[in-house]
Short mmCIF file of all heavy atoms in Angstrom, two decimals:
data_model
loop_
_atom_site.label_atom_id
_atom_site.label_comp_id
_atom_site.label_asym_id
_atom_site.label_seq_id
_atom_site.Cartn_x
_atom_site.Cartn_y
_atom_site.Cartn_z
N GLY A 239 -71.26 -14.71 -52.11
CA GLY A 239 -71.30 -15.23 -53.54
C GLY A 239 -70.86 -16.72 -53.68
O GLY A 239 -70.76 -17.35 -54.69
N HIS A 240 -70.46 -17.24 -52.49
CA HIS A 240 -70.08 -18.70 -52.55
C HIS A 240 -71.30 -19.56 -52.29
O HIS A 240 -71.58 -20.24 -51.29
CB HIS A 240 -69.11 -18.98 -51.28
CG HIS A 240 -67.94 -17.94 -51.30
ND1 HIS A 240 -67.12 -17.96 -52.28
CD2 HIS A 240 -67.68 -16.94 -50.36
CE1 HIS A 240 -66.17 -16.99 -52.07
NE2 HIS A 240 -66.52 -16.47 -50.79
N TYR A 241 -72.09 -19.75 -53.37
CA TYR A 241 -73.40 -20.34 -53.35
C TYR A 241 -73.28 -21.92 -53.23
O TYR A 241 -74.13 -22.52 -52.46
CB TYR A 241 -74.08 -20.04 -54.65
CG TYR A 241 -74.42 -18.64 -54.84
CD1 TYR A 241 -73.79 -17.96 -55.89
CD2 TYR A 241 -75.12 -17.88 -53.98
CE1 TYR A 241 -73.95 -16.55 -56.06
CE2 TYR A 241 -75.32 -16.48 -54.09
CZ TYR A 241 -74.71 -15.86 -55.24
OH TYR A 241 -74.95 -14.48 -55.32
N THR A 242 -72.32 -22.51 -53.74
CA THR A 242 -72.15 -23.91 -53.57
C THR A 242 -71.80 -24.34 -52.11
O THR A 242 -72.52 -25.35 -51.55
CB THR A 242 -70.96 -24.45 -54.46
OG1 THR A 242 -71.15 -24.22 -55.81
CG2 THR A 242 -70.79 -25.96 -54.20
N LYS A 243 -70.85 -23.57 -51.41
CA LYS A 243 -70.71 -23.87 -50.03
C LYS A 243 -71.93 -23.48 -49.21
O LYS A 243 -72.33 -24.29 -48.22
CB LYS A 243 -69.54 -23.02 -49.54
CG LYS A 243 -69.08 -23.20 -48.14
CD LYS A 243 -68.74 -24.54 -47.75
CE LYS A 243 -68.29 -24.83 -46.32
NZ LYS A 243 -67.90 -26.25 -46.01
N ALA A 244 -72.50 -22.45 -49.46
CA ALA A 244 -73.80 -21.92 -48.69
C ALA A 244 -74.73 -23.10 -48.83
O ALA A 244 -75.43 -23.52 -47.90
CB ALA A 244 -74.34 -20.81 -49.23
N LEU A 245 -75.07 -23.54 -50.07
CA LEU A 245 -76.03 -24.64 -50.34
C LEU A 245 -75.74 -25.84 -49.62
O LEU A 245 -76.65 -26.42 -49.00
CB LEU A 245 -76.09 -24.91 -51.84
CG LEU A 245 -77.24 -25.90 -52.20
CD1 LEU A 245 -78.60 -25.37 -51.85
CD2 LEU A 245 -77.11 -26.12 -53.74
N GLU A 246 -74.48 -26.29 -49.54
CA GLU A 246 -74.05 -27.46 -48.82
C GLU A 246 -74.45 -27.43 -47.32
O GLU A 246 -74.97 -28.47 -46.75
CB GLU A 246 -72.45 -27.52 -48.89
CG GLU A 246 -71.90 -28.80 -48.24
CD GLU A 246 -70.46 -28.82 -48.31
OE1 GLU A 246 -69.81 -28.31 -49.32
OE2 GLU A 246 -69.81 -29.50 -47.36
N ILE A 247 -74.11 -26.28 -46.71
CA ILE A 247 -74.42 -26.07 -45.28
C ILE A 247 -76.03 -25.94 -45.03
O ILE A 247 -76.54 -26.67 -44.18
CB ILE A 247 -73.78 -24.76 -44.84
CG1 ILE A 247 -72.30 -24.84 -44.93
CG2 ILE A 247 -74.15 -24.53 -43.26
CD1 ILE A 247 -71.58 -23.56 -44.67
N LEU A 248 -76.64 -25.35 -45.91
CA LEU A 248 -78.16 -25.07 -45.69
C LEU A 248 -78.76 -26.40 -45.90
O LEU A 248 -79.86 -26.72 -45.12
CB LEU A 248 -78.66 -24.18 -46.80
CG LEU A 248 -78.26 -22.58 -46.64
CD1 LEU A 248 -78.65 -21.82 -47.80
CD2 LEU A 248 -79.00 -22.06 -45.38
N LEU A 249 -78.45 -27.31 -46.83
CA LEU A 249 -79.03 -28.59 -46.87
C LEU A 249 -78.75 -29.52 -45.74
O LEU A 249 -79.70 -30.41 -45.47
CB LEU A 249 -78.49 -29.23 -48.30
CG LEU A 249 -79.03 -28.56 -49.60
CD1 LEU A 249 -78.35 -29.32 -50.70
CD2 LEU A 249 -80.55 -28.67 -49.74
N GLU A 250 -77.78 -29.32 -45.05
CA GLU A 250 -77.49 -30.11 -43.78
C GLU A 250 -78.31 -29.61 -42.70
O GLU A 250 -78.81 -30.38 -41.88
CB GLU A 250 -75.97 -30.03 -43.49
CG GLU A 250 -75.05 -30.69 -44.49
CD GLU A 250 -73.60 -30.62 -44.00
OE1 GLU A 250 -73.31 -29.92 -42.96
OE2 GLU A 250 -72.76 -31.21 -44.65
N VAL A 251 -78.54 -28.19 -42.66
CA VAL A 251 -79.29 -27.67 -41.55
C VAL A 251 -80.85 -27.87 -41.74
O VAL A 251 -81.43 -28.07 -40.68
CB VAL A 251 -78.89 -26.20 -41.42
CG1 VAL A 251 -79.76 -25.55 -40.39
CG2 VAL A 251 -77.58 -25.88 -41.11
N ILE A 252 -81.22 -27.83 -43.00
CA ILE A 252 -82.77 -27.82 -43.11
C ILE A 252 -83.48 -29.03 -42.55
O ILE A 252 -84.45 -29.06 -41.89
CB ILE A 252 -83.10 -27.65 -44.60
CG1 ILE A 252 -84.64 -27.38 -44.69
CG2 ILE A 252 -82.74 -28.95 -45.46
CD1 ILE A 252 -85.14 -26.13 -44.18
N GLY A 253 -82.72 -30.15 -42.65
CA GLY A 253 -83.28 -31.50 -42.09
C GLY A 253 -83.44 -31.36 -40.62
O GLY A 253 -84.56 -31.75 -40.02
N LEU A 254 -82.44 -30.79 -39.87
CA LEU A 254 -82.53 -30.73 -38.50
C LEU A 254 -83.57 -29.71 -38.10
O LEU A 254 -84.35 -29.86 -37.16
CB LEU A 254 -81.14 -30.25 -37.95
CG LEU A 254 -80.95 -30.05 -36.36
CD1 LEU A 254 -81.40 -31.33 -35.61
CD2 LEU A 254 -79.56 -29.66 -35.99
N GLN A 255 -83.55 -28.55 -38.77
CA GLN A 255 -84.62 -27.49 -38.57
C GLN A 255 -86.14 -28.18 -38.62
O GLN A 255 -86.99 -27.88 -37.76
CB GLN A 255 -84.59 -26.41 -39.50
CG GLN A 255 -83.43 -25.33 -39.04
CD GLN A 255 -83.52 -24.19 -39.98
OE1 GLN A 255 -83.64 -24.22 -41.24
NE2 GLN A 255 -83.65 -22.99 -39.36
N GLU A 256 -86.26 -28.91 -39.63
CA GLU A 256 -87.69 -29.60 -39.87
C GLU A 256 -88.01 -30.43 -38.72
O GLU A 256 -89.20 -30.47 -38.16
CB GLU A 256 -87.65 -30.36 -41.08
CG GLU A 256 -87.68 -29.56 -42.35
CD GLU A 256 -87.60 -30.30 -43.59
OE1 GLU A 256 -86.99 -31.39 -43.61
OE2 GLU A 256 -88.19 -29.92 -44.63
N ARG A 257 -87.16 -31.26 -38.10
CA ARG A 257 -87.33 -32.03 -36.98
C ARG A 257 -87.54 -31.27 -35.64
O ARG A 257 -88.35 -31.62 -34.84
CB ARG A 257 -86.12 -32.93 -36.66
CG ARG A 257 -85.85 -33.89 -37.88
CD ARG A 257 -84.59 -34.61 -37.61
NE ARG A 257 -84.14 -35.44 -38.80
CZ ARG A 257 -83.05 -36.04 -38.98
NH1 ARG A 257 -82.16 -36.08 -37.86
NH2 ARG A 257 -82.65 -36.73 -40.02
N LEU A 258 -86.96 -30.13 -35.49
CA LEU A 258 -87.02 -29.39 -34.35
C LEU A 258 -88.16 -28.39 -34.37
O LEU A 258 -88.54 -27.84 -33.24
CB LEU A 258 -85.77 -28.43 -34.22
CG LEU A 258 -84.44 -29.24 -33.87
CD1 LEU A 258 -83.26 -28.27 -34.05
CD2 LEU A 258 -84.49 -29.82 -32.41
N THR A 259 -88.67 -28.10 -35.48
CA THR A 259 -89.77 -27.14 -35.68
C THR A 259 -91.10 -27.70 -36.24
O THR A 259 -91.78 -27.06 -36.95
CB THR A 259 -89.43 -26.00 -36.48
OG1 THR A 259 -88.97 -26.49 -37.80
CG2 THR A 259 -88.10 -25.28 -35.94
N ARG A 260 -91.34 -29.04 -35.76
CA ARG A 260 -92.56 -29.61 -36.18
C ARG A 260 -93.87 -28.89 -36.06
O ARG A 260 -94.77 -28.85 -36.74
CB ARG A 260 -92.79 -31.00 -35.61
CG ARG A 260 -91.71 -32.06 -36.20
CD ARG A 260 -91.84 -33.33 -35.39
NE ARG A 260 -90.87 -34.37 -35.79
CZ ARG A 260 -91.03 -35.11 -36.90
NH1 ARG A 260 -92.06 -35.16 -37.58
NH2 ARG A 260 -90.16 -35.96 -37.22
N GLY A 261 -93.95 -28.14 -34.87
CA GLY A 261 -95.00 -27.48 -34.52
C GLY A 261 -95.02 -26.00 -35.13
O GLY A 261 -96.09 -25.30 -34.90
N ASN A 262 -94.13 -25.65 -35.73
CA ASN A 262 -93.95 -24.31 -36.42
C ASN A 262 -93.24 -24.32 -37.71
O ASN A 262 -92.13 -23.85 -37.93
CB ASN A 262 -93.26 -23.32 -35.48
CG ASN A 262 -93.13 -21.89 -35.90
OD1 ASN A 262 -93.97 -21.48 -36.74
ND2 ASN A 262 -92.27 -21.07 -35.36
N PRO A 263 -93.97 -24.85 -38.77
CA PRO A 263 -93.38 -25.11 -39.98
C PRO A 263 -93.01 -23.79 -40.75
O PRO A 263 -92.02 -23.82 -41.58
CB PRO A 263 -94.41 -25.86 -40.81
CG PRO A 263 -95.74 -25.58 -40.16
CD PRO A 263 -95.39 -25.46 -38.64
N VAL A 264 -93.65 -22.68 -40.36
CA VAL A 264 -93.33 -21.50 -40.97
C VAL A 264 -91.93 -20.90 -40.73
O VAL A 264 -91.29 -20.25 -41.58
CB VAL A 264 -94.36 -20.40 -40.63
CG1 VAL A 264 -93.95 -19.03 -41.25
CG2 VAL A 264 -95.75 -20.80 -41.12
N SER A 265 -91.39 -21.35 -39.51
CA SER A 265 -90.10 -20.89 -39.11
C SER A 265 -88.96 -21.28 -40.01
O SER A 265 -87.87 -20.70 -39.94
CB SER A 265 -89.80 -21.43 -37.70
OG SER A 265 -89.71 -22.76 -37.69
N ILE A 266 -89.13 -22.26 -40.82
CA ILE A 266 -87.91 -22.75 -41.70
C ILE A 266 -88.18 -22.09 -43.14
O ILE A 266 -87.25 -22.53 -43.94
CB ILE A 266 -87.92 -24.24 -41.77
CG1 ILE A 266 -89.12 -24.86 -42.57
CG2 ILE A 266 -87.80 -24.79 -40.46
CD1 ILE A 266 -88.88 -26.27 -42.91
N VAL A 267 -89.05 -21.27 -43.37
CA VAL A 267 -89.25 -20.74 -44.65
C VAL A 267 -88.03 -19.95 -45.04
O VAL A 267 -87.55 -19.99 -46.16
CB VAL A 267 -90.58 -19.74 -44.74
CG1 VAL A 267 -90.55 -18.90 -45.84
CG2 VAL A 267 -91.81 -20.65 -44.59
N PRO A 268 -87.30 -19.06 -44.16
CA PRO A 268 -86.25 -18.33 -44.67
C PRO A 268 -85.11 -19.30 -45.19
O PRO A 268 -84.45 -19.01 -46.20
CB PRO A 268 -85.83 -17.55 -43.38
CG PRO A 268 -87.05 -17.34 -42.70
CD PRO A 268 -87.81 -18.73 -42.84
N THR A 269 -84.96 -20.40 -44.54
CA THR A 269 -83.84 -21.30 -44.91
C THR A 269 -84.19 -21.96 -46.29
O THR A 269 -83.47 -22.10 -47.18
CB THR A 269 -83.67 -22.43 -43.91
OG1 THR A 269 -83.43 -21.86 -42.64
CG2 THR A 269 -82.41 -23.40 -44.21
N LEU A 270 -85.49 -22.44 -46.40
CA LEU A 270 -85.99 -22.87 -47.73
C LEU A 270 -85.63 -21.93 -48.80
O LEU A 270 -85.39 -22.26 -49.91
CB LEU A 270 -87.37 -23.28 -47.59
CG LEU A 270 -87.70 -24.56 -46.80
CD1 LEU A 270 -89.26 -24.62 -46.63
CD2 LEU A 270 -87.08 -25.85 -47.49
N CYS A 271 -85.96 -20.70 -48.54
CA CYS A 271 -85.92 -19.61 -49.51
C CYS A 271 -84.43 -19.26 -49.84
O CYS A 271 -84.03 -18.93 -51.06
CB CYS A 271 -86.55 -18.25 -49.06
SG CYS A 271 -88.37 -18.44 -49.16
N ALA A 272 -83.57 -19.35 -48.88
CA ALA A 272 -82.18 -19.28 -49.13
C ALA A 272 -81.67 -20.30 -50.08
O ALA A 272 -80.73 -20.21 -50.92
CB ALA A 272 -81.47 -19.22 -47.81
N ILE A 273 -82.15 -21.58 -49.78
CA ILE A 273 -81.80 -22.66 -50.79
C ILE A 273 -82.24 -22.33 -52.10
O ILE A 273 -81.59 -22.76 -53.15
CB ILE A 273 -82.50 -24.04 -50.29
CG1 ILE A 273 -81.80 -24.40 -48.86
CG2 ILE A 273 -82.35 -25.18 -51.21
CD1 ILE A 273 -82.37 -25.62 -48.18
N VAL A 274 -83.48 -21.89 -52.36
CA VAL A 274 -84.04 -21.38 -53.64
C VAL A 274 -83.07 -20.45 -54.36
O VAL A 274 -82.69 -20.65 -55.42
CB VAL A 274 -85.40 -20.83 -53.50
CG1 VAL A 274 -85.96 -20.19 -54.77
CG2 VAL A 274 -86.38 -21.76 -53.11
N VAL A 275 -82.52 -19.55 -53.49
CA VAL A 275 -81.66 -18.43 -54.13
C VAL A 275 -80.34 -19.10 -54.58
O VAL A 275 -79.93 -18.85 -55.65
CB VAL A 275 -81.41 -17.38 -53.04
CG1 VAL A 275 -80.22 -16.43 -53.43
CG2 VAL A 275 -82.54 -16.54 -52.67
N CYS A 276 -79.86 -20.01 -53.73
CA CYS A 276 -78.52 -20.71 -54.17
C CYS A 276 -78.86 -21.41 -55.37
O CYS A 276 -77.93 -21.52 -56.39
CB CYS A 276 -78.11 -21.60 -52.92
SG CYS A 276 -77.55 -20.57 -51.54
N HIS A 277 -79.72 -22.26 -55.44
CA HIS A 277 -80.09 -23.10 -56.66
C HIS A 277 -80.27 -22.35 -57.87
O HIS A 277 -79.70 -22.63 -58.94
CB HIS A 277 -81.22 -24.01 -56.37
CG HIS A 277 -80.98 -25.31 -55.68
ND1 HIS A 277 -80.00 -26.12 -56.18
CD2 HIS A 277 -81.41 -25.93 -54.55
CE1 HIS A 277 -79.91 -27.27 -55.42
NE2 HIS A 277 -80.88 -27.15 -54.38
N LYS A 278 -80.97 -21.12 -57.61
CA LYS A 278 -81.26 -20.24 -58.84
C LYS A 278 -79.96 -19.64 -59.30
O LYS A 278 -79.73 -19.65 -60.57
CB LYS A 278 -82.21 -19.16 -58.32
CG LYS A 278 -82.82 -18.26 -59.53
CD LYS A 278 -83.98 -17.42 -59.04
CE LYS A 278 -84.59 -16.52 -60.19
NZ LYS A 278 -83.58 -15.62 -60.73
N ASP A 279 -79.14 -19.19 -58.48
CA ASP A 279 -77.88 -18.48 -58.88
C ASP A 279 -76.87 -19.59 -59.41
O ASP A 279 -75.97 -19.14 -60.11
CB ASP A 279 -77.35 -17.79 -57.68
CG ASP A 279 -77.92 -16.37 -57.56
OD1 ASP A 279 -79.14 -16.19 -57.88
OD2 ASP A 279 -77.12 -15.46 -57.08
N LEU A 280 -77.06 -20.85 -58.97
CA LEU A 280 -76.20 -21.83 -59.44
C LEU A 280 -76.82 -22.52 -60.76
O LEU A 280 -76.27 -23.57 -61.34
CB LEU A 280 -75.94 -22.91 -58.46
CG LEU A 280 -75.16 -22.61 -57.28
CD1 LEU A 280 -75.19 -23.69 -56.21
CD2 LEU A 280 -73.65 -22.37 -57.83
N GLU A 281 -77.83 -21.84 -61.25
CA GLU A 281 -78.55 -22.28 -62.61
C GLU A 281 -79.11 -23.74 -62.42
O GLU A 281 -78.97 -24.48 -63.37
CB GLU A 281 -77.65 -22.16 -63.73
CG GLU A 281 -77.21 -20.66 -63.98
CD GLU A 281 -76.26 -20.56 -65.25
OE1 GLU A 281 -76.01 -21.56 -65.84
OE2 GLU A 281 -75.95 -19.40 -65.53
N ASN A 282 -79.60 -23.90 -61.28
CA ASN A 282 -80.45 -25.27 -61.07
C ASN A 282 -81.99 -24.87 -60.81
O ASN A 282 -82.52 -24.95 -59.80
CB ASN A 282 -79.92 -26.03 -59.82
CG ASN A 282 -78.39 -26.33 -59.99
OD1 ASN A 282 -77.93 -26.70 -60.96
ND2 ASN A 282 -77.74 -26.31 -58.91
N PRO A 283 -82.63 -24.44 -61.97
CA PRO A 283 -84.06 -23.95 -61.73
C PRO A 283 -85.01 -24.97 -61.27
O PRO A 283 -85.93 -24.70 -60.48
CB PRO A 283 -84.45 -23.44 -63.21
CG PRO A 283 -83.46 -24.16 -64.04
CD PRO A 283 -82.20 -24.39 -63.36
N ALA A 284 -84.78 -26.21 -61.68
CA ALA A 284 -85.72 -27.29 -61.25
C ALA A 284 -85.69 -27.57 -59.74
O ALA A 284 -86.64 -27.64 -59.08
CB ALA A 284 -85.27 -28.65 -62.00
N SER A 285 -84.35 -27.57 -59.25
CA SER A 285 -84.25 -27.73 -57.73
C SER A 285 -84.69 -26.51 -57.00
O SER A 285 -85.22 -26.59 -55.87
CB SER A 285 -82.69 -27.90 -57.39
OG SER A 285 -82.34 -29.22 -57.99
N ALA A 286 -84.50 -25.34 -57.52
CA ALA A 286 -84.97 -24.10 -56.93
C ALA A 286 -86.52 -24.18 -56.85
O ALA A 286 -87.11 -23.78 -55.82
CB ALA A 286 -84.55 -22.87 -57.72
N PHE A 287 -87.11 -24.61 -57.98
CA PHE A 287 -88.51 -24.58 -57.98
C PHE A 287 -89.14 -25.60 -56.95
O PHE A 287 -90.07 -25.39 -56.25
CB PHE A 287 -89.05 -24.93 -59.33
CG PHE A 287 -90.58 -24.88 -59.51
CD1 PHE A 287 -91.21 -23.50 -59.89
CD2 PHE A 287 -91.39 -25.91 -59.35
CE1 PHE A 287 -92.53 -23.49 -60.06
CE2 PHE A 287 -92.81 -25.73 -59.53
CZ PHE A 287 -93.25 -24.52 -59.84
#
Side-chain angles (χ1 to χ4, degrees):
H240 306 297
Y241 302 114
T242 301
K243 180 61 176 177
L245 183 60
E246 178 186 335
I247 301 171
L248 290 168
L249 290 175
E250 289 180 0
V251 174
I252 191 66
L254 179 56
Q255 277 189 307
E256 287 176 329
R257 297 172 190 175
L258 291 168
T259 60
R260 289 177 181 273
N262 184 19
V264 176
S265 64
I266 68 169
V267 165
T269 307
L270 289 170
C271 288
I273 292 174
V274 172
V275 169
C276 289
H277 274 306
K278 189 171 182 296
D279 279 29
L280 290 170
E281 299 184 358
N282 300 324
S285 297
F287 191 84

